[in-house]
Short mmCIF file of all heavy atoms in Angstrom, two decimals:
data_model
loop_
_atom_site.label_atom_id
_atom_site.label_comp_id
_atom_site.label_asym_id
_atom_site.label_seq_id
_atom_site.Cartn_x
_atom_site.Cartn_y
_atom_site.Cartn_z
N MET A 1 -20.51 -16.28 1.23
CA MET A 1 -19.35 -15.52 0.87
C MET A 1 -18.85 -15.94 -0.51
O MET A 1 -18.51 -15.08 -1.33
CB MET A 1 -18.24 -15.72 1.89
CG MET A 1 -18.52 -15.10 3.21
SD MET A 1 -17.17 -15.41 4.36
CE MET A 1 -18.02 -15.07 5.87
N ARG A 2 -18.79 -17.24 -0.71
CA ARG A 2 -18.28 -17.74 -1.98
C ARG A 2 -19.10 -17.20 -3.15
O ARG A 2 -18.55 -16.77 -4.16
CB ARG A 2 -18.30 -19.27 -1.97
CG ARG A 2 -17.83 -19.88 -3.26
CD ARG A 2 -17.94 -21.41 -3.20
NE ARG A 2 -17.73 -21.98 -4.49
CZ ARG A 2 -16.63 -22.61 -4.86
NH1 ARG A 2 -15.65 -22.75 -4.01
NH2 ARG A 2 -16.52 -23.09 -6.07
N ARG A 3 -20.42 -17.22 -3.01
CA ARG A 3 -21.31 -16.74 -4.08
C ARG A 3 -21.00 -15.28 -4.42
O ARG A 3 -20.88 -14.92 -5.59
CB ARG A 3 -22.75 -16.90 -3.62
CG ARG A 3 -23.79 -16.40 -4.55
CD ARG A 3 -25.19 -16.77 -4.07
NE ARG A 3 -25.34 -16.58 -2.64
CZ ARG A 3 -26.30 -15.85 -2.08
NH1 ARG A 3 -27.19 -15.24 -2.82
NH2 ARG A 3 -26.38 -15.73 -0.77
N PHE A 4 -20.83 -14.45 -3.40
CA PHE A 4 -20.53 -13.03 -3.63
C PHE A 4 -19.14 -12.86 -4.24
O PHE A 4 -18.94 -12.03 -5.13
CB PHE A 4 -20.64 -12.23 -2.34
CG PHE A 4 -22.03 -12.14 -1.79
CD1 PHE A 4 -22.34 -12.69 -0.56
CD2 PHE A 4 -23.04 -11.51 -2.49
CE1 PHE A 4 -23.62 -12.61 -0.03
CE2 PHE A 4 -24.33 -11.41 -1.99
CZ PHE A 4 -24.62 -11.97 -0.76
N ARG A 5 -18.18 -13.64 -3.76
CA ARG A 5 -16.81 -13.55 -4.28
C ARG A 5 -16.75 -13.98 -5.73
O ARG A 5 -16.15 -13.30 -6.57
CB ARG A 5 -15.86 -14.41 -3.43
CG ARG A 5 -14.43 -14.40 -3.95
CD ARG A 5 -13.53 -15.27 -3.12
NE ARG A 5 -13.94 -16.66 -3.00
CZ ARG A 5 -13.80 -17.58 -3.95
NH1 ARG A 5 -13.27 -17.28 -5.12
NH2 ARG A 5 -14.18 -18.82 -3.73
N LEU A 6 -17.42 -15.09 -6.05
CA LEU A 6 -17.43 -15.56 -7.44
C LEU A 6 -18.15 -14.59 -8.36
O LEU A 6 -17.76 -14.44 -9.53
CB LEU A 6 -18.06 -16.95 -7.52
CG LEU A 6 -17.24 -18.08 -6.88
CD1 LEU A 6 -18.01 -19.39 -6.95
CD2 LEU A 6 -15.87 -18.21 -7.53
N ALA A 7 -19.18 -13.92 -7.85
CA ALA A 7 -19.88 -12.91 -8.65
C ALA A 7 -18.95 -11.77 -9.04
O ALA A 7 -19.12 -11.15 -10.09
CB ALA A 7 -21.09 -12.37 -7.89
N ARG A 8 -17.94 -11.52 -8.21
CA ARG A 8 -16.94 -10.50 -8.52
C ARG A 8 -15.84 -11.05 -9.42
O ARG A 8 -15.01 -10.29 -9.90
CB ARG A 8 -16.30 -9.98 -7.23
CG ARG A 8 -17.27 -9.19 -6.37
CD ARG A 8 -16.59 -8.53 -5.20
NE ARG A 8 -15.62 -7.54 -5.68
CZ ARG A 8 -14.43 -7.36 -5.12
NH1 ARG A 8 -14.05 -8.06 -4.09
NH2 ARG A 8 -13.61 -6.47 -5.60
N GLY A 9 -15.82 -12.37 -9.65
CA GLY A 9 -14.83 -12.97 -10.52
C GLY A 9 -13.43 -12.97 -9.94
O GLY A 9 -12.46 -12.80 -10.67
N VAL A 10 -13.33 -13.17 -8.61
CA VAL A 10 -12.05 -13.08 -7.91
C VAL A 10 -11.76 -14.42 -7.23
O VAL A 10 -12.66 -15.05 -6.68
CB VAL A 10 -12.11 -11.95 -6.86
CG1 VAL A 10 -10.93 -11.94 -5.94
CG2 VAL A 10 -12.26 -10.60 -7.53
N SER A 11 -10.50 -14.85 -7.28
CA SER A 11 -10.09 -16.08 -6.59
C SER A 11 -10.02 -15.83 -5.09
O SER A 11 -9.93 -14.68 -4.64
CB SER A 11 -8.72 -16.54 -7.09
OG SER A 11 -7.71 -15.65 -6.65
N GLN A 12 -10.04 -16.93 -4.33
CA GLN A 12 -9.87 -16.81 -2.88
C GLN A 12 -8.57 -16.10 -2.54
O GLN A 12 -8.54 -15.22 -1.69
CB GLN A 12 -9.85 -18.18 -2.21
CG GLN A 12 -11.16 -18.73 -1.83
CD GLN A 12 -11.04 -20.01 -1.01
OE1 GLN A 12 -9.95 -20.50 -0.74
NE2 GLN A 12 -12.17 -20.55 -0.62
N GLN A 13 -7.52 -16.47 -3.21
CA GLN A 13 -6.20 -15.89 -2.93
C GLN A 13 -6.19 -14.39 -3.21
O GLN A 13 -5.72 -13.61 -2.39
CB GLN A 13 -5.13 -16.59 -3.77
CG GLN A 13 -3.75 -16.05 -3.49
CD GLN A 13 -2.67 -16.88 -4.17
OE1 GLN A 13 -2.91 -18.03 -4.54
NE2 GLN A 13 -1.51 -16.33 -4.32
N ASP A 14 -6.71 -13.99 -4.36
CA ASP A 14 -6.73 -12.57 -4.70
C ASP A 14 -7.62 -11.78 -3.76
O ASP A 14 -7.28 -10.67 -3.35
CB ASP A 14 -7.17 -12.36 -6.15
CG ASP A 14 -6.13 -12.83 -7.15
OD1 ASP A 14 -4.94 -12.99 -6.77
OD2 ASP A 14 -6.51 -13.05 -8.32
N PHE A 15 -8.77 -12.35 -3.41
CA PHE A 15 -9.67 -11.64 -2.51
C PHE A 15 -9.06 -11.50 -1.12
O PHE A 15 -9.10 -10.42 -0.53
CB PHE A 15 -11.04 -12.34 -2.42
CG PHE A 15 -12.00 -11.60 -1.55
CD1 PHE A 15 -12.50 -10.37 -1.93
CD2 PHE A 15 -12.39 -12.13 -0.32
CE1 PHE A 15 -13.37 -9.67 -1.10
CE2 PHE A 15 -13.25 -11.44 0.51
CZ PHE A 15 -13.76 -10.21 0.12
N ALA A 16 -8.49 -12.57 -0.61
CA ALA A 16 -7.86 -12.52 0.71
C ALA A 16 -6.74 -11.47 0.72
O ALA A 16 -6.61 -10.70 1.68
CB ALA A 16 -7.31 -13.89 1.09
N HIS A 17 -5.97 -11.42 -0.34
CA HIS A 17 -4.91 -10.41 -0.44
C HIS A 17 -5.51 -9.01 -0.45
O HIS A 17 -5.02 -8.10 0.22
CB HIS A 17 -4.07 -10.65 -1.69
CG HIS A 17 -2.98 -9.67 -1.87
ND1 HIS A 17 -1.84 -9.67 -1.10
CD2 HIS A 17 -2.85 -8.63 -2.73
CE1 HIS A 17 -1.06 -8.67 -1.48
NE2 HIS A 17 -1.67 -8.03 -2.47
N GLU A 18 -6.60 -8.84 -1.19
CA GLU A 18 -7.27 -7.54 -1.31
C GLU A 18 -7.75 -7.03 0.05
O GLU A 18 -7.65 -5.83 0.32
CB GLU A 18 -8.46 -7.69 -2.27
CG GLU A 18 -9.24 -6.45 -2.54
CD GLU A 18 -10.41 -6.72 -3.47
OE1 GLU A 18 -10.24 -7.46 -4.46
OE2 GLU A 18 -11.50 -6.19 -3.20
N ILE A 19 -8.26 -7.93 0.88
CA ILE A 19 -8.78 -7.50 2.19
C ILE A 19 -7.75 -7.68 3.31
O ILE A 19 -8.09 -7.54 4.49
CB ILE A 19 -10.11 -8.20 2.54
CG1 ILE A 19 -9.93 -9.71 2.66
CG2 ILE A 19 -11.19 -7.83 1.53
CD1 ILE A 19 -11.14 -10.43 3.23
N GLU A 20 -6.52 -8.00 2.92
CA GLU A 20 -5.42 -8.16 3.86
C GLU A 20 -5.70 -9.21 4.93
O GLU A 20 -5.61 -8.96 6.13
CB GLU A 20 -5.05 -6.81 4.49
CG GLU A 20 -4.60 -5.78 3.48
CD GLU A 20 -4.26 -4.44 4.08
OE1 GLU A 20 -4.44 -4.25 5.30
OE2 GLU A 20 -3.82 -3.58 3.31
N MET A 21 -6.08 -10.39 4.43
CA MET A 21 -6.39 -11.52 5.30
C MET A 21 -5.63 -12.73 4.76
O MET A 21 -5.48 -12.87 3.55
CB MET A 21 -7.90 -11.78 5.29
CG MET A 21 -8.40 -12.79 6.28
SD MET A 21 -10.22 -12.91 6.26
CE MET A 21 -10.65 -11.42 7.14
N ASP A 22 -5.17 -13.60 5.65
CA ASP A 22 -4.48 -14.81 5.22
C ASP A 22 -5.42 -15.67 4.39
O ASP A 22 -6.58 -15.89 4.76
CB ASP A 22 -4.00 -15.58 6.46
CG ASP A 22 -3.24 -16.83 6.07
OD1 ASP A 22 -2.07 -16.68 5.68
OD2 ASP A 22 -3.83 -17.92 6.16
N ARG A 23 -4.91 -16.18 3.26
CA ARG A 23 -5.75 -16.97 2.36
C ARG A 23 -6.30 -18.22 3.01
O ARG A 23 -7.46 -18.57 2.82
CB ARG A 23 -4.97 -17.36 1.09
CG ARG A 23 -5.86 -18.10 0.10
CD ARG A 23 -5.10 -18.92 -0.91
NE ARG A 23 -4.21 -19.92 -0.31
CZ ARG A 23 -4.59 -21.11 0.15
NH1 ARG A 23 -5.85 -21.45 0.13
NH2 ARG A 23 -3.72 -21.96 0.65
N THR A 24 -5.48 -18.91 3.79
CA THR A 24 -5.96 -20.15 4.41
C THR A 24 -7.03 -19.85 5.45
O THR A 24 -7.98 -20.63 5.59
CB THR A 24 -4.81 -20.96 5.02
OG1 THR A 24 -4.13 -20.17 5.99
CG2 THR A 24 -3.83 -21.42 3.95
N TYR A 25 -6.89 -18.74 6.16
CA TYR A 25 -7.92 -18.35 7.13
C TYR A 25 -9.21 -18.02 6.39
O TYR A 25 -10.29 -18.51 6.74
CB TYR A 25 -7.45 -17.16 7.97
CG TYR A 25 -8.52 -16.64 8.90
CD1 TYR A 25 -8.81 -17.29 10.08
CD2 TYR A 25 -9.25 -15.51 8.57
CE1 TYR A 25 -9.82 -16.83 10.92
CE2 TYR A 25 -10.24 -15.04 9.40
CZ TYR A 25 -10.52 -15.70 10.58
OH TYR A 25 -11.52 -15.24 11.40
N TYR A 26 -9.11 -17.18 5.36
CA TYR A 26 -10.31 -16.81 4.61
C TYR A 26 -10.99 -18.03 4.01
O TYR A 26 -12.20 -18.18 4.07
CB TYR A 26 -10.01 -15.78 3.50
CG TYR A 26 -11.24 -15.53 2.67
CD1 TYR A 26 -12.28 -14.77 3.17
CD2 TYR A 26 -11.41 -16.15 1.44
CE1 TYR A 26 -13.45 -14.60 2.45
CE2 TYR A 26 -12.56 -16.00 0.71
CZ TYR A 26 -13.58 -15.21 1.22
OH TYR A 26 -14.75 -15.06 0.51
N GLY A 27 -10.20 -18.93 3.42
CA GLY A 27 -10.76 -20.15 2.84
C GLY A 27 -11.52 -20.97 3.87
O GLY A 27 -12.60 -21.50 3.59
N GLY A 28 -10.96 -21.08 5.08
CA GLY A 28 -11.63 -21.81 6.15
C GLY A 28 -12.93 -21.15 6.57
O GLY A 28 -13.92 -21.83 6.84
N VAL A 29 -12.93 -19.84 6.61
CA VAL A 29 -14.16 -19.10 6.94
C VAL A 29 -15.20 -19.34 5.85
O VAL A 29 -16.36 -19.63 6.15
CB VAL A 29 -13.87 -17.59 7.11
CG1 VAL A 29 -15.16 -16.79 7.20
CG2 VAL A 29 -13.00 -17.34 8.34
N GLU A 30 -14.78 -19.22 4.60
CA GLU A 30 -15.71 -19.40 3.48
C GLU A 30 -16.32 -20.80 3.48
O GLU A 30 -17.50 -20.96 3.15
CB GLU A 30 -14.98 -19.12 2.17
CG GLU A 30 -15.89 -19.06 0.98
CD GLU A 30 -15.18 -18.70 -0.31
OE1 GLU A 30 -14.98 -17.50 -0.56
OE2 GLU A 30 -14.81 -19.63 -1.04
N ARG A 31 -15.56 -21.80 3.86
CA ARG A 31 -16.07 -23.18 3.90
C ARG A 31 -16.80 -23.50 5.21
O ARG A 31 -17.31 -24.60 5.37
CB ARG A 31 -14.91 -24.17 3.71
CG ARG A 31 -14.32 -24.17 2.32
CD ARG A 31 -13.29 -25.27 2.14
NE ARG A 31 -12.18 -25.17 3.09
CZ ARG A 31 -11.10 -24.40 2.93
NH1 ARG A 31 -10.98 -23.64 1.86
NH2 ARG A 31 -10.15 -24.39 3.83
N GLY A 32 -16.84 -22.56 6.13
CA GLY A 32 -17.53 -22.78 7.40
C GLY A 32 -16.73 -23.62 8.38
O GLY A 32 -17.28 -24.18 9.32
N GLU A 33 -15.42 -23.71 8.18
CA GLU A 33 -14.55 -24.51 9.04
C GLU A 33 -13.93 -23.70 10.17
O GLU A 33 -13.37 -24.27 11.09
CB GLU A 33 -13.43 -25.13 8.20
CG GLU A 33 -13.93 -26.04 7.13
CD GLU A 33 -12.85 -26.46 6.15
OE1 GLU A 33 -11.72 -25.93 6.19
OE2 GLU A 33 -13.15 -27.32 5.31
N ARG A 34 -13.98 -22.39 10.07
CA ARG A 34 -13.35 -21.52 11.06
C ARG A 34 -14.39 -20.59 11.67
O ARG A 34 -15.34 -20.17 11.01
CB ARG A 34 -12.28 -20.63 10.41
CG ARG A 34 -11.21 -21.29 9.60
CD ARG A 34 -10.09 -21.86 10.40
NE ARG A 34 -9.47 -20.96 11.32
CZ ARG A 34 -8.20 -20.61 11.30
NH1 ARG A 34 -7.41 -21.05 10.35
NH2 ARG A 34 -7.70 -19.84 12.24
N ASN A 35 -14.20 -20.27 12.92
CA ASN A 35 -15.00 -19.22 13.55
C ASN A 35 -14.45 -17.89 13.08
O ASN A 35 -13.26 -17.75 12.85
CB ASN A 35 -14.92 -19.30 15.07
CG ASN A 35 -15.60 -20.53 15.61
OD1 ASN A 35 -16.63 -20.94 15.08
ND2 ASN A 35 -15.04 -21.12 16.63
N VAL A 36 -15.33 -16.93 12.95
CA VAL A 36 -14.91 -15.62 12.43
C VAL A 36 -15.41 -14.54 13.38
O VAL A 36 -16.54 -14.60 13.87
CB VAL A 36 -15.40 -15.41 10.99
CG1 VAL A 36 -16.91 -15.43 10.89
CG2 VAL A 36 -14.83 -14.15 10.38
N SER A 37 -14.57 -13.57 13.66
CA SER A 37 -14.97 -12.45 14.52
C SER A 37 -15.85 -11.49 13.73
O SER A 37 -15.82 -11.45 12.50
CB SER A 37 -13.74 -11.71 15.04
OG SER A 37 -13.11 -11.00 13.99
N ILE A 38 -16.61 -10.69 14.46
CA ILE A 38 -17.46 -9.69 13.81
C ILE A 38 -16.62 -8.68 13.04
O ILE A 38 -17.02 -8.20 11.98
CB ILE A 38 -18.42 -9.02 14.82
CG1 ILE A 38 -19.52 -8.24 14.09
CG2 ILE A 38 -17.67 -8.13 15.77
CD1 ILE A 38 -20.49 -9.12 13.33
N ASP A 39 -15.42 -8.39 13.54
CA ASP A 39 -14.53 -7.47 12.83
C ASP A 39 -14.15 -8.04 11.46
O ASP A 39 -14.12 -7.31 10.46
CB ASP A 39 -13.26 -7.20 13.63
CG ASP A 39 -13.51 -6.39 14.89
OD1 ASP A 39 -14.51 -5.65 14.92
OD2 ASP A 39 -12.71 -6.50 15.83
N ASN A 40 -13.88 -9.33 11.40
CA ASN A 40 -13.53 -9.94 10.12
C ASN A 40 -14.74 -10.09 9.21
O ASN A 40 -14.61 -10.01 7.99
CB ASN A 40 -12.82 -11.28 10.33
CG ASN A 40 -11.38 -11.09 10.75
OD1 ASN A 40 -10.77 -10.06 10.48
ND2 ASN A 40 -10.82 -12.07 11.43
N VAL A 41 -15.93 -10.29 9.78
CA VAL A 41 -17.15 -10.31 8.96
C VAL A 41 -17.30 -8.95 8.29
O VAL A 41 -17.59 -8.86 7.09
CB VAL A 41 -18.40 -10.64 9.81
CG1 VAL A 41 -19.68 -10.38 9.02
CG2 VAL A 41 -18.36 -12.07 10.29
N GLU A 42 -17.07 -7.89 9.05
CA GLU A 42 -17.17 -6.55 8.48
C GLU A 42 -16.12 -6.33 7.39
O GLU A 42 -16.41 -5.74 6.35
CB GLU A 42 -17.03 -5.49 9.57
CG GLU A 42 -18.23 -5.41 10.48
CD GLU A 42 -18.09 -4.34 11.55
OE1 GLU A 42 -17.20 -3.48 11.44
OE2 GLU A 42 -18.89 -4.37 12.48
N ARG A 43 -14.91 -6.80 7.61
CA ARG A 43 -13.84 -6.64 6.63
C ARG A 43 -14.18 -7.39 5.33
O ARG A 43 -14.01 -6.86 4.24
CB ARG A 43 -12.53 -7.18 7.18
CG ARG A 43 -11.36 -6.96 6.23
CD ARG A 43 -10.12 -7.68 6.62
NE ARG A 43 -9.62 -7.37 7.94
CZ ARG A 43 -8.48 -7.83 8.42
NH1 ARG A 43 -7.73 -8.63 7.70
NH2 ARG A 43 -8.09 -7.52 9.64
N ILE A 44 -14.69 -8.60 5.48
CA ILE A 44 -15.06 -9.40 4.31
C ILE A 44 -16.23 -8.73 3.57
O ILE A 44 -16.21 -8.60 2.35
CB ILE A 44 -15.40 -10.84 4.72
CG1 ILE A 44 -14.14 -11.54 5.24
CG2 ILE A 44 -16.03 -11.60 3.56
CD1 ILE A 44 -14.40 -12.85 5.96
N ALA A 45 -17.24 -8.31 4.32
CA ALA A 45 -18.41 -7.66 3.71
C ALA A 45 -18.01 -6.40 2.95
O ALA A 45 -18.49 -6.16 1.84
CB ALA A 45 -19.45 -7.34 4.78
N LYS A 46 -17.13 -5.62 3.54
CA LYS A 46 -16.67 -4.40 2.87
C LYS A 46 -15.97 -4.76 1.57
O LYS A 46 -16.19 -4.12 0.54
CB LYS A 46 -15.74 -3.62 3.80
CG LYS A 46 -15.31 -2.30 3.22
CD LYS A 46 -14.48 -1.52 4.22
CE LYS A 46 -14.04 -0.19 3.61
NZ LYS A 46 -13.23 0.59 4.55
N GLY A 47 -15.12 -5.78 1.60
CA GLY A 47 -14.43 -6.21 0.39
C GLY A 47 -15.37 -6.72 -0.68
O GLY A 47 -15.13 -6.55 -1.87
N LEU A 48 -16.45 -7.36 -0.25
CA LEU A 48 -17.43 -7.89 -1.19
C LEU A 48 -18.49 -6.85 -1.59
O LEU A 48 -19.32 -7.12 -2.46
CB LEU A 48 -18.15 -9.11 -0.58
CG LEU A 48 -17.28 -10.34 -0.35
CD1 LEU A 48 -18.04 -11.38 0.45
CD2 LEU A 48 -16.80 -10.91 -1.68
N GLU A 49 -18.45 -5.71 -0.90
CA GLU A 49 -19.40 -4.62 -1.14
C GLU A 49 -20.84 -5.07 -0.89
O GLU A 49 -21.74 -4.82 -1.68
CB GLU A 49 -19.23 -4.05 -2.54
CG GLU A 49 -17.84 -3.47 -2.77
CD GLU A 49 -17.61 -2.96 -4.19
OE1 GLU A 49 -18.49 -3.17 -5.07
OE2 GLU A 49 -16.55 -2.37 -4.41
N VAL A 50 -21.03 -5.77 0.25
CA VAL A 50 -22.36 -6.18 0.69
C VAL A 50 -22.52 -5.84 2.16
O VAL A 50 -21.54 -5.59 2.86
CB VAL A 50 -22.61 -7.70 0.48
CG1 VAL A 50 -22.50 -8.06 -0.99
CG2 VAL A 50 -21.67 -8.54 1.30
N SER A 51 -23.75 -5.86 2.65
CA SER A 51 -24.00 -5.65 4.07
C SER A 51 -23.56 -6.88 4.85
O SER A 51 -23.78 -8.01 4.40
CB SER A 51 -25.49 -5.41 4.32
OG SER A 51 -25.90 -4.22 3.70
N PRO A 52 -22.95 -6.69 6.02
CA PRO A 52 -22.49 -7.83 6.81
C PRO A 52 -23.58 -8.86 7.11
O PRO A 52 -23.32 -10.05 7.11
CB PRO A 52 -21.97 -7.19 8.10
CG PRO A 52 -21.57 -5.80 7.70
CD PRO A 52 -22.57 -5.41 6.63
N TRP A 53 -24.82 -8.42 7.32
CA TRP A 53 -25.88 -9.37 7.66
C TRP A 53 -26.11 -10.38 6.54
O TRP A 53 -26.53 -11.51 6.81
CB TRP A 53 -27.18 -8.65 8.04
CG TRP A 53 -27.88 -7.99 6.90
CD1 TRP A 53 -27.72 -6.70 6.48
CD2 TRP A 53 -28.85 -8.58 6.01
NE1 TRP A 53 -28.53 -6.46 5.38
CE2 TRP A 53 -29.23 -7.59 5.09
CE3 TRP A 53 -29.43 -9.84 5.93
CZ2 TRP A 53 -30.17 -7.82 4.09
CZ3 TRP A 53 -30.35 -10.07 4.92
CH2 TRP A 53 -30.71 -9.07 4.02
N LEU A 54 -25.81 -10.01 5.29
CA LEU A 54 -25.99 -10.96 4.19
C LEU A 54 -25.05 -12.15 4.30
O LEU A 54 -25.36 -13.23 3.82
CB LEU A 54 -25.77 -10.25 2.85
CG LEU A 54 -26.86 -9.29 2.43
CD1 LEU A 54 -26.45 -8.50 1.20
CD2 LEU A 54 -28.16 -10.03 2.17
N LEU A 55 -23.91 -11.94 4.95
CA LEU A 55 -22.96 -13.04 5.12
C LEU A 55 -23.34 -13.96 6.27
O LEU A 55 -22.83 -15.07 6.36
CB LEU A 55 -21.55 -12.47 5.36
CG LEU A 55 -21.02 -11.53 4.29
CD1 LEU A 55 -19.63 -11.06 4.67
CD2 LEU A 55 -21.01 -12.20 2.93
N LEU A 56 -24.22 -13.50 7.13
CA LEU A 56 -24.59 -14.26 8.31
C LEU A 56 -25.91 -15.01 8.18
O LEU A 56 -26.20 -15.90 8.97
CB LEU A 56 -24.66 -13.33 9.54
CG LEU A 56 -23.38 -12.58 9.85
CD1 LEU A 56 -23.62 -11.57 10.98
CD2 LEU A 56 -22.26 -13.53 10.21
N LYS A 57 -26.70 -14.68 7.17
CA LYS A 57 -28.00 -15.33 7.04
C LYS A 57 -27.87 -16.69 6.36
O LYS A 57 -26.89 -16.95 5.67
CB LYS A 57 -28.99 -14.43 6.29
CG LYS A 57 -28.76 -14.33 4.82
CD LYS A 57 -29.80 -13.41 4.20
CE LYS A 57 -29.96 -13.71 2.73
NZ LYS A 57 -31.07 -14.56 2.40
N GLU A 58 -28.87 -17.52 6.56
CA GLU A 58 -28.90 -18.84 5.93
C GLU A 58 -29.00 -18.68 4.41
O GLU A 58 -29.72 -17.81 3.93
CB GLU A 58 -30.13 -19.62 6.42
CG GLU A 58 -30.04 -20.06 7.86
CD GLU A 58 -29.04 -21.16 8.10
OE1 GLU A 58 -28.84 -22.01 7.21
OE2 GLU A 58 -28.42 -21.16 9.18
N PRO A 59 -28.28 -19.52 3.66
CA PRO A 59 -28.39 -19.42 2.20
C PRO A 59 -29.79 -19.80 1.73
O PRO A 59 -30.49 -20.60 2.34
CB PRO A 59 -27.38 -20.43 1.68
CG PRO A 59 -26.80 -21.12 2.86
CD PRO A 59 -27.37 -20.54 4.11
N ASP A 60 -30.19 -19.19 0.62
CA ASP A 60 -31.52 -19.49 0.05
C ASP A 60 -31.55 -20.83 -0.62
O ASP A 60 -30.65 -21.37 -1.08
CB ASP A 60 -31.90 -18.40 -0.97
CG ASP A 60 -32.07 -17.05 -0.29
OD1 ASP A 60 -32.39 -17.01 0.91
OD2 ASP A 60 -31.89 -16.02 -0.98
#
């Protein structure tokens, strides 16, 4: 998630606001500290303009 967000040149706070998600929750998800529902994976993917499966696969 971080890689895609940084590619857009957006801070965690601005991105979380854009997708209407609490910044601390989003930050925890991005760091792998929080469990995330499939609905929120879809919301994040839509905001990042990527397919949801890209957020779930192992990093290269």
Side-chain angles (χ1 to χ4, degrees):
M1 291 179 198
R2 178 183 169 105
R3 177 173 42 126
F4 293 117
R5 178 181 57 77
L6 291 176
R8 292 187 63 220
V10 170
S11 70
Q12 273 187 359
Q13 182 171 341
D14 290 342
F15 182 68
H17 179 73
E18 182 182 318
I19 62 171
E20 299 179 356
M21 188 175 284
D22 182 77
R23 184 201 57 80
T24 58
Y25 175 78
Y26 174 75
V29 170
E30 190 177 276
R31 290 187 302 276
E33 299 169 352
R34 307 279 308 240
N35 292 323
V36 62
S37 70
I38 193 68
D39 291 335
N40 284 335
V41 169
E42 288 181 15
R43 184 191 303 185
I44 293 167
K46 184 176 180 180
L48 293 171
E49 299 177 353
V50 299
S51 296
W53 70 269
L54 289 172
L55 303 180
L56 302 174
K57 74 181 203 98
E58 290 289 327
D60 295 334

